[in-house]
Amino acid sequence: MNQQHMPERPIWRDAEDGKIRIIDQRFLPHDLVISELNSVDDVISAIYEMMVRGAPLIGVTGAYGVYLALANEGQQTDLQPAFREADRIKAARPTAVNLAWAVDRTLEKAAAASPDRRAETARQEAAAIAEKEAENSYRIGRHGLSLINEIAGKKSGSPVNILTHCNAGWLACIQVGTATAPVYAAHEEGVPVHVWVDETRPLNQGARLTAWELGAAGVPHTVITDNAGGHLMQKGMVDLVIVGTDRTTYTGDVANKIGTYLKALAARDNNIPFYVALPSSTFDWQIRDGVAQIPIEERDPDELRYMPGFEKIDENLLMPKTSLAANYAFDVTPARLVTGFITERGVCRAEERAIRELFS
Amino acid sequence: MNQQHMPERPIWRDAEDGKIRIIDQRFLPHDLVISELNSVDDVISAIYEMMVRGAPLIGVTGAYGVYLALANEGQQTDLQPAFREADRIKAARPTAVNLAWAVDRTLEKAAAASPDRRAETARQEAAAIAEKEAENSYRIGRHGLSLINEIAGKKSGSPVNILTHCNAGWLACIQVGTATAPVYAAHEEGVPVHVWVDETRPLNQGARLTAWELGAAGVPHTVITDNAGGHLMQKGMVDLVIVGTDRTTYTGDVANKIGTYLKALAARDNNIPFYVALPSSTFDWQIRDGVAQIPIEERDPDELRYMPGFEKIDENLLMPKTSLAANYAFDVTPARLVTGFITERGVCRAEERAIRELFS
């Protein structure tokens, strides 16, 4: 790890030079690389290349993209170019609902301001979305803590074993994360927890990012292959599953990193609670049937064919040169497999009526 | 790929110099490396280091280990040293039942011979076990072909999509494999098939070995992460799952490469047939409850922490230096999730009565 000063957030506006900066997460856990976002193209490639990832962070990054579009255009009365830039940003990744939500909201606020105030209005809105996400994460942590405390009460001092998939930590969510927020809250209060960290192929966000975050915070954790969770559940080694989500329908279907569905099936088969932690910005209020209707991004097969983080030389090719590979980035866990949602407003069952009651 | 002469089997006795040789599977798909087994220690490290792997192949390798023990000892009246060597071989890997079965059977035959005939008797028995496994695989292929044909009949010419986990191909099983035997049989008869190959972390036997085998035979295939199968099944992109097994109880519980259980859950959730292909040598006639009683090997966490096949330098470390990793090699799929077994004697349901009827 480079001995860089550790940022508190994965994206921020520098107080001194006014530049938007991010942690380039592709180099973690071995290097802490900070990059600048100076243009819409920078923003798009940061999102598509996954320098930033995670639904709330993608949203905030997209909002700063609207700010950069307006700032770089200078004062214009015509808003059409800004709308076109917003469309380009929203197309960078299709699955997370936060991106479109944050971009639209930021541009809407900016459009309502006078031309000379638009860029500044967008910047303030992006910052406000970031603050709101951070606050939501802390609230999610408090609500999730009560679930962990309930289990801890039955374990007479031995750690609560929590399994998570991918990274829904502060790197994905501004601060403390969504799925990790209850873990950090428990750890801070001295409730013993241990996290099973799914490696999360092909980009290894669990092994690289979640393990790094948890290690930095001193939370006991063990990295496992994505294949292992079912076995651990059969053997009574998992008390609770908590994952994040990129988009959740108002009916409770959960799009999240590919492989989440398999863990939900195993949790159900072993009577282990399976919770999804999310801020309200991640709910999709339009889509009824997640499995049929949520668009699932298909990414470059080379992410799977080559080991990520290395140069693409022959030795890093993991399979025969002539074999095809397919790289679906997400799957959808039907609501029937979800025990409940941990949101900033509290915990609710994974069904339309309960969701609408909480967010009426 | 080195332009070595392609062997027909993963283990053989050289007709010219009488040496036992294997494909060292750790270097596939990029290099075809042939190694000699000259001693019991060679055999143990070949099995433990996974130069050879797969239940039937481990059995045959163990049988040749008994031969080498007897040949290297010279003519002895005392059989105790040979029994001790057999115990060491059997301990090399605990999960596959074939290893103990083949070692015990070979030593038993040899022990019944006169001291001057023991080594040769063991060698003949090892060769006979190999022949029998090859014959069983061909029979499994014929029986599995009828299942594939049945599905092909409903698909009006589009390929039958078969998902498999790990490698239960000829590299694991002397010839044509177990899970792959029906695939090869279909391909040879012109029935269109396409195989979804699970990468199979941490040692990537799917991406490295199954993809290599299928590619060499011209069978269309696509490598996917272990996370992807559930999504593909939800989307109707999988018609049939066929896997191998390292040990199956007489009640139908299936120990196989870690992650198999998750695919069985997803197949059940999507009404997709889930078959296990195995020769009778893989049945365990002693164990009733697979989940509770089959020993699950826990292997070196470095297999997961570092990318396999590379030197262990810092750049190949996939997670933070200080993060723990756990490496359970197998899991057990309960019989209730298994549609049926494809064996050399035919197809049967995954339940004690049906299994006992077939192998009465």
Side-chain angles (χ1 to χ4, degrees):
Chain A
M1 169 69 69
N2 279 345
Q3 286 311 309
Q4 286 258 19
H5 174 68
M6 171 78 97
E8 282 176 11
R9 294 183 171 189
I11 189 168
W12 66 96
R13 181 167 174 270
D14 194 294
E16 287 183 19
D17 62 12
K19 286 185 186 292
I20 310 301
R21 291 205 167 80
I22 57 167
I23 299 176
D24 185 341
Q25 302 187 21
R26 296 172 304 175
F27 297 96
L28 289 173
H30 302 308
D31 287 303
L32 180 61
V33 174
I34 311 294
S35 297
E36 291 176 11
L37 302 182
N38 293 313
S39 67
V40 170
D41 284 343
D42 285 356
V43 165
I44 290 170
S45 85
I47 293 172
Y48 183 76
E49 302 291 343
M50 298 180 67
M51 302 176 206
V52 295
R53 18 69 53 207
L57 174 56
I58 288 178
V60 172
T61 307
Y64 276 118
V66 174
Y67 156 64
L68 290 169
L70 292 164
N72 292 348
E73 273 169 23
Q75 291 179 31
Q76 304 267 346
T77 47
D78 181 9
L79 273 163
Q80 286 312 311
F83 276 104
R84 279 195 296 271
E85 293 295 79
D87 284 344
R88 286 177 58 219
I89 298 169
K90 288 193 283 185
R93 293 195 75 192
T95 303
V97 75
N98 303 57
L99 177 58
W101 172 87
V103 166
D104 287 343
R105 180 189 170 111
T106 305
L107 187 51
E108 197 182 308
K109 295 254 175 165
S114 61
D116 62 319
R117 295 278 309 146
R118 277 181 189 146
E120 179 58 16
T121 303
R123 191 192 65 69
Q124 286 173 2
E125 183 56 25
I129 292 173
E131 288 313 311
K132 187 70 190 167
E133 292 293 4
E135 186 192 320
N136 284 346
S137 283
Y138 280 106
R139 287 178 193 271
I140 287 168
R142 302 312 301 176
H143 293 301
L145 175 59
S146 56
L147 295 172
I148 294 175
N149 273 331
E150 208 175 293
I151 295 167
K154 297 174 203 156
K155 297 210 69 179
S156 52
S158 71
V160 177
N161 287 300
I162 299 164
L163 184 143
T164 193
H165 190 68
C166 198
N167 174 265
W170 68 262
L171 285 170
C173 312
I174 313 304
Q175 287 195 304
V176 301
T178 52
T180 54
V183 172
Y184 289 130
H187 184 65
E188 267 186 23
E189 302 225 341
V191 181
V193 287
H194 167 260
V195 182
W196 294 109
V197 178
D198 272 2
E199 178 181 34
T200 318
R201 290 282 293 145
L203 295 182
N204 302 12
Q205 290 96 334
R208 295 193 302 109
L209 306 179
T210 303
W212 179 76
E213 273 196 28
L214 294 174
V219 178
H221 63 281
T222 306
V223 180
I224 50 175
T225 62
D226 301 311
N227 285 321
H231 171 70
L232 298 178
M233 293 186 206
Q234 284 180 320
K235 292 291 181 182
M237 296 161 78
V238 178
D239 298 303
L240 174 65
V241 180
I242 312 180
V243 298
T245 168
D246 296 80
R247 182 190 300 224
T248 286
T249 66
Y250 66 88
T251 55
D253 294 339
V254 174
N256 191 41
K257 182 58 54 196
I258 188 98
T260 303
Y261 166 53
L262 296 172
K263 297 298 142 62
L265 286 166
R268 170 60 50 95
D269 201 47
N270 293 283
N271 293 312
I272 292 164
F274 180 93
Y275 280 93
V276 179
L278 75 169
S280 49
S281 58
T282 303
F283 277 109
D284 184 323
W285 301 99
Q286 312 302 321
I287 285 186
R288 162 161 286 281
D289 181 341
V291 175
Q293 294 178 281
I294 294 177
I296 299 297
E297 179 181 9
E298 199 177 343
R299 295 181 58 85
D300 187 343
D302 280 356
E303 291 183 347
L304 165 56
R305 298 180 70 231
Y306 293 87
M307 200 55 216
F310 300 115
E311 291 301 309
K312 290 186 177 179
I313 54 173
D314 267 10
E315 282 86 331
N316 295 326
L317 179 66
L318 301 182
M319 56 193 72
K321 275 185 187 149
T322 51
S323 288
L324 295 179
N327 186 11
Y328 300 91
F330 301 92
D331 63 19
V332 175
T333 300
R336 65 185 153 82
L337 298 174
V338 179
T339 309
F341 294 119
I342 312 172
T343 79
E344 73 271 22
R345 297 208 187 168
V347 175
C348 75
R349 292 194 309 286
E351 51 177 54
E352 181 175 353
R353 193 210 297 223
I355 295 167
R356 287 205 187 275
E357 247 177 56
L358 201 61
F359 293 97
S360 61
Chain B
M1 171 67 69
N2 280 344
Q3 285 311 308
Q4 285 259 19
H5 175 69
M6 170 78 95
E8 282 176 14
R9 294 183 171 188
I11 189 168
W12 66 95
R13 180 166 175 271
D14 194 295
E16 287 183 17
D17 61 13
K19 286 185 186 291
I20 309 301
R21 291 204 166 80
I22 57 167
I23 298 176
D24 185 341
Q25 303 188 21
R26 297 173 303 174
F27 297 96
L28 290 174
H30 302 308
D31 287 303
L32 180 61
V33 174
I34 311 294
S35 297
E36 291 177 11
L37 302 182
N38 292 314
S39 67
V40 170
D41 284 342
D42 285 356
V43 165
I44 289 170
S45 86
I47 293 172
Y48 183 76
E49 301 291 341
M50 297 179 68
M51 303 176 207
V52 295
R53 17 69 52 207
L57 174 56
I58 288 177
V60 172
T61 308
Y64 276 118
V66 173
Y67 156 63
L68 290 169
L70 292 164
N72 292 348
E73 274 170 21
Q75 291 180 31
Q76 303 268 347
T77 47
D78 182 9
L79 273 165
Q80 286 313 310
F83 276 103
R84 279 196 297 272
E85 292 295 78
D87 283 344
R88 288 176 59 217
I89 297 169
K90 288 193 282 182
R93 295 196 74 192
T95 303
V97 74
N98 303 58
L99 178 57
W101 173 86
V103 166
D104 288 342
R105 181 189 170 110
T106 305
L107 187 51
E108 196 180 311
K109 294 255 174 163
S114 60
D116 63 319
R117 293 280 308 146
R118 278 181 190 146
E120 178 58 16
T121 303
R123 192 192 64 69
Q124 285 172 1
E125 183 57 24
I129 292 173
E131 288 313 311
K132 187 70 190 167
E133 293 292 2
E135 184 191 320
N136 285 346
S137 283
Y138 280 107
R139 286 178 194 271
I140 288 168
R142 300 315 299 175
H143 293 301
L145 175 60
S146 56
L147 295 172
I148 294 175
N149 272 332
E150 209 175 294
I151 296 167
K154 298 174 201 155
K155 297 210 69 177
S156 51
S158 71
V160 177
N161 286 299
I162 298 164
L163 185 143
T164 194
H165 190 68
C166 199
N167 172 266
W170 67 262
L171 285 169
C173 312
I174 313 304
Q175 286 195 303
V176 302
T178 52
T180 54
V183 172
Y184 289 130
H187 184 66
E188 267 185 23
E189 302 225 339
V191 181
V193 288
H194 167 261
V195 181
W196 294 108
V197 178
D198 273 1
E199 179 181 34
T200 318
R201 290 284 292 147
L203 295 182
N204 303 12
Q205 290 95 334
R208 295 193 303 108
L209 307 179
T210 303
W212 179 76
E213 271 196 29
L214 294 174
V219 178
H221 63 282
T222 306
V223 180
I224 50 175
T225 63
D226 301 311
N227 286 320
H231 171 71
L232 298 178
M233 292 186 207
Q234 284 180 320
K235 293 291 181 182
M237 294 159 81
V238 178
D239 298 304
L240 173 65
V241 181
I242 312 180
V243 298
T245 168
D246 297 79
R247 184 190 298 225
T248 287
T249 66
Y250 66 88
T251 56
D253 294 339
V254 175
N256 190 41
K257 181 59 54 197
I258 189 99
T260 303
Y261 166 54
L262 296 172
K263 295 301 143 61
L265 286 166
R268 171 59 51 94
D269 202 46
N270 294 283
N271 293 311
I272 292 164
F274 180 94
Y275 280 93
V276 179
L278 74 170
S280 49
S281 57
T282 303
F283 277 107
D284 183 323
W285 302 99
Q286 312 301 322
I287 285 186
R288 161 160 288 280
D289 181 342
V291 176
Q293 295 178 280
I294 294 178
I296 299 296
E297 179 181 9
E298 199 176 343
R299 295 180 58 85
D300 187 343
D302 280 357
E303 291 183 347
L304 166 56
R305 298 180 70 231
Y306 293 88
M307 199 57 215
F310 299 115
E311 290 303 310
K312 288 186 179 180
I313 54 172
D314 266 10
E315 282 86 333
N316 296 327
L317 179 65
L318 301 182
M319 56 192 74
K321 276 186 186 149
T322 51
S323 288
L324 296 178
N327 187 11
Y328 300 92
F330 301 92
D331 63 19
V332 176
T333 300
R336 65 186 154 83
L337 298 173
V338 179
T339 308
F341 294 119
I342 311 172
T343 79
E344 74 269 23
R345 295 206 189 170
V347 176
C348 74
R349 290 192 313 283
E351 51 177 54
E352 181 175 352
R353 192 209 298 221
I355 294 167
R356 287 206 187 275
E357 247 177 57
L358 202 60
F359 293 98
S360 58

